[in-house]
Amino acid sequence: MKILVTGGAGFIGSHIVDAYLEAGHKVAVLDNLSTGDKRFVHPEAELYAIDILDPGVGPILHKEKFDAINHHAAQISVSDSVADPVFDAKSNIIGTLQLLTNAVSSKVGKFIFASTGGAIYGGQEYFPAGEDHVCKPTHPYGISKLSVENYLRFYQETCGLKSVVFRYSNVFGPRQNPHGEAGVVAIFCSRLLENKTPTIYGDGEQTRNYILVKDVVRANMLALDPECSGIFNVSTEKETSVNTLYETLLQISGSKLKAEHAPARDYEQRRSAISYKKIKDAFEWEPQIPLEEALIETFQYFKNQTG
């Protein structure tokens, strides 16, 4: 297949590009490099260093005639979405709509979308949440992802554009940016290696499902299956508190550095756990890498970067 990966110079996207190329597909990357890193782009992938809001995206799609688009380009900071909802909407809603319009007119066959698992459900009524759980996001970032999911349904029903939506839990692993707000594992690894005190917001007992990027990539490989369409959670279902996460990384690093606590953030969920039963039943996908093993691999990556 001929595939465009937006955000393909970023954390998750670059791993997907590598896997698609290894499987024999032809891959192009579209990334404005605002948070992505050109060094992460596989040398066999063609790079278009422009923003998804750029009018030049349309001519690229019409020239290349992609079979599928894997859309990972996004504004990913929850706090930035709260501070500037208009900017968040331009990137995550308007940018995606322009991409979808061009996808339809250039006859793309499938659109794979990176959504969000925890943020889209908001305060959960049960744990772990299935895909049929009510969606009530508590901040603009989650709202923008849910909006795109609804637009994807529209484009599939009216234009025949088949789509796959992955609602990720908290993804971590090599290449994650340790300098942004998102990615607590990368942030903790970086702070420990620099011997700088990390910050935990609130009491640290808030829980998430942490999943290694390798498992997420496996789901994105399945998405190329002609039979694959619909909305799927991609998670481990296992709740881990921020405190437990940090204590595990302390043991892995051998550090005794204590974290400092800051006031809790109003928009942050207390608990998040989402079920992967649907994708397991449909495609036999399930997470393969235990949390501690995944954390060891990730910490070693960041250690090698500083060596």
Side-chain angles (χ1 to χ4, degrees), residues 3 45 50 57 62 72 77 88 90 104 137 145 149 154 181 193 196 213 239-240 248 253 256 259 272 280 295 298 306:
I3 308 167
I50 64 172
V57 171
H62 285 81
H72 274 72
S77 169
D88 182 81
K90 282 180 180 177
V104 169
K145 291 292 189 179
E149 288 191 14
F154 163 77
E181 171 208 56
L193 287 163
K196 294 180 179 177
V213 67
E239 289 184 75
T240 303
T248 304
S253 67
K256 298 188 184 303
S272 177
K280 181 182 179 181
L295 289 173
T298 304
T306 60

Side-chain angles (χ1 to χ4, degrees), residues 219-232:
N220 279 271
M221 294 300 297
L222 289 170
L224 300 179
D225 186 322
E227 300 302 313
C228 185
S229 67
I231 298 171
F232 300 94

Side-chain angles (χ1 to χ4, degrees), residues 65-85:
K65 301 295 182 185
F66 294 107
D67 299 304
I69 293 177
N70 187 304
H71 183 37
H72 274 72
Q75 188 297 113
I76 63 170
S77 169
V78 172
S79 61
D80 284 355
S81 80
V82 173
D84 192 350

Side-chain angles (χ1 to χ4, degrees), residues 186-202:
I187 294 168
F188 283 167
C189 288
S190 178
R191 301 296 283 183
L192 286 169
L193 287 163
E194 295 170 357
N195 200 34
K196 294 180 179 177
T197 303
T199 300
I200 293 175
Y201 292 93

